[in-house]
Amino acid sequence: MATQAKEQNLLRPRQLQYVLLALGLCTLLALTIITFILIGDSWWQTVTAVCSALLLVHFAFLVHDGAHFQIFRTPAHNEFFAVVTAALIVGASYSWWQHKHSAHHRNPNHITLDPDAKLPVIHTKPHATGIMSWRPIRFFSTHQGVLLFALMPVEGISIYAASWKHLLRSGTVKYRALQITLIAINHSVVAFLMIWVLSPAVAGTILGIHLGLFGFYLGMVFALNHKGMPLITDTRKGDYLLRQVLVSRNIQSNALLACLMGGLNNQIEHHLFPTAPRFTLRKLAVLVKQHCLRIGVPYAQVSLTESYRRVYQYVNRVGIGQSNDYICPLGTFQHSPQVIQTTASKADPT
């Protein structure tokens, strides 16, 4: 499978395509800023708040692709691009996010080693007593999936707070001075524009819409990838393909939806070939699906609405302690002679 992908030139960075994409996003961002200034102190600024939030998410997707070395041929160029884009345009710390995201890719959906596997739920027992047995609380505990989606708008604020906490902590932080300088410039420019153009009431509302939609958009994309898929508990180093495919979910997508999700609709292929640019993931999916069918490994692919439904139901089940059927699937497959003989990659292709 990996050999076929290389032969079909699906793993090579796509510098020209990414440069054109970045230029397009920068043009749209510049037009949004100009429109913001021209509109002035008006509630029509809600439109620019929506536009800026959507654009920042797509710049965040660019940071993600740079972090995976999908844009330029050298790791150093990819990393520098990601650092500058994250700090100067998104206003967040690349090094904070990269540390967290790398842990996720090393151990996706591992119950203790994946930081993204943790859920903000209140756990209740079937025979709870006291305040936990009250009817409103028990009703809420079985419908906590709503809470996951309701908290997503807060994710934007959380990202900025975590970025500053990471950069100001003691210890070694790569590109610390550069990130602090660029993030400070970003935040200062935003604050200046808000004070110069808007009244306090409009500024507060617009900022809230921008941050809320930014966090919600990111959350709605990333929540689909692994939540509700099997959780891994085995700490031994196992088969790379199994550890990535069994815990990832693809979204059935057309070209528009793939664009809106930054290519993360092909989550299985992204995890198997993290350096593959988003522009080739749909072609990679054909190879990966055929390979999984050939060796008998489940390949999860559902519609967008079905994925949200599964995430919602899963969070509800976790809250009342009924998620054991999602625990560690490796025992079913890791001793399969067919998988052991036919799986091409035993280690991360990066």
Side-chain angles (χ1 to χ4, degrees):
M1 179 175 62
T3 302
Q4 287 180 290
K6 291 178 181 178
E7 289 175 349
Q8 296 182 28
N9 203 26
L10 300 178
L11 306 182
R12 179 180 58 82
R14 295 295 194 270
Q15 180 173 325
L16 177 60
Q17 288 172 276
Y18 274 112
V19 167
L20 293 175
L21 175 60
L23 289 174
L25 290 175
C26 288
T27 300
L28 290 174
L29 183 61
L31 290 174
T32 301
I33 295 173
I34 293 171
T35 302
F36 173 86
I37 295 172
L38 293 177
I39 290 177
D41 189 24
S42 167
W43 291 107
W44 282 105
Q45 293 287 11
T46 54
V47 176
T48 61
V50 170
C51 291
S52 62
L54 298 181
L55 285 172
L56 252 59
V57 170
H58 282 271
F59 275 109
F61 289 154
L62 275 181
V63 173
H64 171 267
D65 293 355
H68 283 290
F69 308 153
Q70 298 174 13
I71 302 176
F72 303 103
R73 294 186 181 278
T74 64
H77 290 162
N78 279 287
E79 184 177 51
F80 188 76
F81 171 84
V83 168
V84 173
T85 303
L88 186 60
I89 300 181
V90 182
S93 168
Y94 163 80
S95 58
W96 161 76
W97 173 84
Q98 191 268 346
H99 175 77
K100 174 175 171 287
H101 194 63
S102 294
H104 162 69
H105 266 269
R106 283 193 298 268
N107 296 281
N109 243 30
H110 192 285
I111 199 166
T112 56
L113 300 179
D114 182 1
D116 293 341
K118 300 176 178 62
L119 288 172
V121 298
I122 300 173
H123 296 275
T124 59
K125 298 178 181 179
H127 305 291
T129 59
I131 189 173
M132 298 304 293
S133 66
W134 292 3
R135 185 180 297 273
I137 292 180
R138 293 194 63 80
F139 176 83
F140 171 76
S141 68
T142 59
H143 295 79
Q144 291 187 71
V146 175
L147 180 64
L148 178 68
F149 296 104
L151 289 176
M152 284 181 182
V154 185
E155 182 66 17
I157 299 174
S158 175
I159 289 172
Y160 293 125
S163 294
W164 279 113
K165 182 179 179 181
H166 169 77
L167 292 173
L168 297 177
R169 70 179 177 87
S170 58
T172 302
V173 176
K174 193 174 183 180
Y175 296 112
R176 186 202 301 268
L178 177 62
Q179 291 184 86
I180 289 176
T181 301
L182 294 180
I183 292 176
I185 292 173
N186 173 285
H187 293 183
S188 298
V189 169
V190 171
F192 170 77
L193 288 173
M194 299 290 277
I195 295 172
W196 175 43
V197 176
L198 305 177
S199 61
V202 176
T205 303
I206 298 308
L207 186 60
I209 292 173
H210 171 84
L211 290 174
L213 183 56
F214 173 67
F216 184 76
Y217 188 174
L218 279 177
M220 290 295 279
V221 171
F222 284 95
L224 298 174
N225 302 335
H226 305 282
K227 289 178 174 58
M229 295 299 290
L231 290 170
I232 292 178
T233 56
D234 193 339
T235 57
R236 295 172 297 175
K237 185 177 181 179
D239 186 276
Y240 174 75
L241 182 141
L242 293 179
R243 284 186 172 270
Q244 302 295 336
V245 174
L246 292 177
V247 301
S248 303
R249 176 194 296 119
N250 275 10
I251 307 300
Q252 297 168 354
S253 307
N254 53 29
L256 176 60
L257 185 56
C259 176
L260 292 175
M261 296 187 67
L264 295 177
N265 53 298
N266 287 112
Q267 191 66 201
I268 294 174
E269 289 71 36
H270 172 60
H271 266 261
L272 283 175
F273 300 100
T275 60
R278 71 172 83 168
F279 308 107
T280 67
L281 292 179
R282 295 183 72 178
K283 292 183 178 179
L284 270 174
V286 176
L287 300 178
V288 174
K289 189 173 184 179
Q290 290 174 347
H291 182 73
C292 288
L293 290 174
R294 187 166 58 250
I295 65 176
V297 171
Y299 182 94
Q301 182 169 310
V302 299
S303 68
L304 184 67
T305 54
E306 174 62 16
S307 182
Y308 285 130
R309 187 187 70 82
R310 293 188 183 188
V311 171
Y312 170 77
Q313 291 183 335
Y314 170 67
V315 176
N316 291 341
R317 292 168 63 85
V318 170
I320 58 176
Q322 294 184 358
S323 61
N324 288 337
D325 55 325
Y326 290 103
I327 297 298
C328 209
L330 294 181
T332 306
F333 297 97
Q334 66 186 162
H335 301 300
S336 167
Q338 187 182 23
V339 171
I340 293 174
Q341 291 170 10
T342 59
T343 300
S345 176
K346 298 293 183 181
D348 191 326
T350 60

mmCIF file of all heavy atoms in Angstrom, residues 194-211:
data_model
loop_
_atom_site.group_PDB
_atom_site.id
_atom_site.type_symbol
_atom_site.label_atom_id
_atom_site.label_comp_id
_atom_site.label_asym_id
_atom_site.label_seq_id
_atom_site.Cartn_x
_atom_site.Cartn_y
_atom_site.Cartn_z
ATOM 1 N N MET A 194 -10.411 47.064 17.167
ATOM 2 C CA MET A 194 -11.683 47.026 17.898
ATOM 3 C C MET A 194 -11.953 48.362 18.589
ATOM 4 O O MET A 194 -13.075 48.891 18.551
ATOM 5 C CB MET A 194 -11.660 45.894 18.921
ATOM 6 C CG MET A 194 -11.471 44.510 18.325
ATOM 7 S SD MET A 194 -12.879 43.909 17.393
ATOM 8 C CE MET A 194 -13.895 43.269 18.686
ATOM 9 N N ILE A 195 -10.922 48.933 19.223
ATOM 10 C CA ILE A 195 -11.079 50.207 19.941
ATOM 11 C C ILE A 195 -11.270 51.370 18.970
ATOM 12 O O ILE A 195 -12.077 52.275 19.206
ATOM 13 C CB ILE A 195 -9.852 50.448 20.841
ATOM 14 C CG1 ILE A 195 -9.796 49.375 21.947
ATOM 15 C CG2 ILE A 195 -9.889 51.846 21.455
ATOM 16 C CD1 ILE A 195 -8.521 49.412 22.758
ATOM 17 N N TRP A 196 -10.549 51.330 17.853
ATOM 18 C CA TRP A 196 -10.593 52.427 16.881
ATOM 19 C C TRP A 196 -11.918 52.460 16.124
ATOM 20 O O TRP A 196 -12.499 53.530 15.908
ATOM 21 C CB TRP A 196 -9.422 52.275 15.908
ATOM 22 C CG TRP A 196 -9.404 53.277 14.788
ATOM 23 C CD1 TRP A 196 -9.661 54.622 14.883
ATOM 24 C CD2 TRP A 196 -9.112 53.026 13.407
ATOM 25 N NE1 TRP A 196 -9.541 55.223 13.647
ATOM 26 C CE2 TRP A 196 -9.201 54.267 12.722
ATOM 27 C CE3 TRP A 196 -8.753 51.885 12.687
ATOM 28 C CZ2 TRP A 196 -8.959 54.381 11.356
ATOM 29 C CZ3 TRP A 196 -8.508 52.000 11.328
ATOM 30 C CH2 TRP A 196 -8.624 53.242 10.668
ATOM 31 N N VAL A 197 -12.444 51.313 15.759
ATOM 32 C CA VAL A 197 -13.606 51.260 14.871
ATOM 33 C C VAL A 197 -14.926 51.107 15.617
ATOM 34 O O VAL A 197 -15.938 51.688 15.221
ATOM 35 C CB VAL A 197 -13.441 50.101 13.856
ATOM 36 C CG1 VAL A 197 -14.683 49.951 12.988
ATOM 37 C CG2 VAL A 197 -12.198 50.322 12.988
ATOM 38 N N LEU A 198 -14.944 50.366 16.720
ATOM 39 C CA LEU A 198 -16.202 49.958 17.337
ATOM 40 C C LEU A 198 -16.433 50.590 18.706
ATOM 41 O O LEU A 198 -15.485 50.939 19.421
ATOM 42 C CB LEU A 198 -16.245 48.437 17.487
ATOM 43 C CG LEU A 198 -16.017 47.609 16.213
ATOM 44 C CD1 LEU A 198 -16.031 46.132 16.556
ATOM 45 C CD2 LEU A 198 -17.054 47.940 15.154
ATOM 46 N N SER A 199 -17.701 50.720 19.065
ATOM 47 C CA SER A 199 -18.067 51.101 20.422
ATOM 48 C C SER A 199 -17.932 49.877 21.318
ATOM 49 O O SER A 199 -17.904 48.740 20.824
ATOM 50 C CB SER A 199 -19.510 51.604 20.448
ATOM 51 O OG SER A 199 -20.396 50.581 20.030
ATOM 52 N N PRO A 200 -17.844 50.041 22.636
ATOM 53 C CA PRO A 200 -17.628 48.893 23.533
ATOM 54 C C PRO A 200 -18.668 47.790 23.373
ATOM 55 O O PRO A 200 -18.320 46.604 23.366
ATOM 56 C CB PRO A 200 -17.687 49.530 24.923
ATOM 57 C CG PRO A 200 -17.222 50.933 24.697
ATOM 58 C CD PRO A 200 -17.772 51.319 23.365
ATOM 59 N N ALA A 201 -19.943 48.139 23.251
ATOM 60 C CA ALA A 201 -20.991 47.122 23.155
ATOM 61 C C ALA A 201 -20.853 46.295 21.884
ATOM 62 O O ALA A 201 -20.932 45.051 21.914
ATOM 63 C CB ALA A 201 -22.368 47.786 23.206
ATOM 64 N N VAL A 202 -20.650 46.979 20.761
ATOM 65 C CA VAL A 202 -20.493 46.264 19.497
ATOM 66 C C VAL A 202 -19.202 45.446 19.504
ATOM 67 O O VAL A 202 -19.178 44.295 19.052
ATOM 68 C CB VAL A 202 -20.489 47.250 18.313
ATOM 69 C CG1 VAL A 202 -20.229 46.519 17.004
ATOM 70 C CG2 VAL A 202 -21.808 48.008 18.240
ATOM 71 N N ALA A 203 -18.129 46.021 20.039
ATOM 72 C CA ALA A 203 -16.840 45.318 20.078
ATOM 73 C C ALA A 203 -16.938 44.035 20.885
ATOM 74 O O ALA A 203 -16.448 42.975 20.455
ATOM 75 C CB ALA A 203 -15.775 46.231 20.677
ATOM 76 N N GLY A 204 -17.579 44.101 22.040
ATOM 77 C CA GLY A 204 -17.720 42.910 22.872
ATOM 78 C C GLY A 204 -18.532 41.826 22.181
ATOM 79 O O GLY A 204 -18.185 40.640 22.240
ATOM 80 N N THR A 205 -19.606 42.234 21.532
ATOM 81 C CA THR A 205 -20.458 41.269 20.829
ATOM 82 C C THR A 205 -19.726 40.630 19.661
ATOM 83 O O THR A 205 -19.770 39.408 19.472
ATOM 84 C CB THR A 205 -21.734 41.953 20.325
ATOM 85 O OG1 THR A 205 -22.419 42.558 21.424
ATOM 86 C CG2 THR A 205 -22.652 40.952 19.635
ATOM 87 N N ILE A 206 -19.048 41.455 18.886
ATOM 88 C CA ILE A 206 -18.329 40.957 17.710
ATOM 89 C C ILE A 206 -17.212 40.009 18.122
ATOM 90 O O ILE A 206 -17.006 38.956 17.502
ATOM 91 C CB ILE A 206 -17.755 42.132 16.888
ATOM 92 C CG1 ILE A 206 -18.879 43.016 16.366
ATOM 93 C CG2 ILE A 206 -16.898 41.616 15.739
ATOM 94 C CD1 ILE A 206 -19.969 42.276 15.626
ATOM 95 N N LEU A 207 -16.491 40.379 19.167
ATOM 96 C CA LEU A 207 -15.410 39.522 19.640
ATOM 97 C C LEU A 207 -15.957 38.182 20.125
ATOM 98 O O LEU A 207 -15.367 37.122 19.873
ATOM 99 C CB LEU A 207 -14.638 40.220 20.763
ATOM 100 C CG LEU A 207 -13.378 39.506 21.267
ATOM 101 C CD1 LEU A 207 -12.371 39.344 20.130
ATOM 102 C CD2 LEU A 207 -12.759 40.273 22.433
ATOM 103 N N GLY A 208 -17.099 38.230 20.821
ATOM 104 C CA GLY A 208 -17.710 36.995 21.297
ATOM 105 C C GLY A 208 -18.138 36.092 20.153
ATOM 106 O O GLY A 208 -17.934 34.866 20.201
ATOM 107 N N ILE A 209 -18.731 36.675 19.112
ATOM 108 C CA ILE A 209 -19.147 35.897 17.940
ATOM 109 C C ILE A 209 -17.930 35.281 17.253
ATOM 110 O O ILE A 209 -17.928 34.096 16.885
ATOM 111 C CB ILE A 209 -19.926 36.784 16.955
ATOM 112 C CG1 ILE A 209 -21.270 37.200 17.557
ATOM 113 C CG2 ILE A 209 -20.143 36.060 15.623
ATOM 114 C CD1 ILE A 209 -22.031 38.202 16.720
ATOM 115 N N HIS A 210 -16.891 36.086 17.091
ATOM 116 C CA HIS A 210 -15.678 35.617 16.425
ATOM 117 C C HIS A 210 -15.048 34.445 17.188
ATOM 118 O O HIS A 210 -14.783 33.378 16.602
ATOM 119 C CB HIS A 210 -14.675 36.760 16.300
ATOM 120 C CG HIS A 210 -13.316 36.324 15.831
ATOM 121 N ND1 HIS A 210 -13.001 36.167 14.504
ATOM 122 C CD2 HIS A 210 -12.203 35.991 16.535
ATOM 123 C CE1 HIS A 210 -11.747 35.762 14.398
ATOM 124 N NE2 HIS A 210 -11.243 35.639 15.609
ATOM 125 N N LEU A 211 -14.811 34.619 18.482
ATOM 126 C CA LEU A 211 -14.170 33.572 19.272
ATOM 127 C C LEU A 211 -15.052 32.335 19.372
ATOM 128 O O LEU A 211 -14.573 31.201 19.294
ATOM 129 C CB LEU A 211 -13.839 34.091 20.670
ATOM 130 C CG LEU A 211 -12.720 35.128 20.761
ATOM 131 C CD1 LEU A 211 -12.609 35.666 22.177
ATOM 132 C CD2 LEU A 211 -11.394 34.516 20.316
#
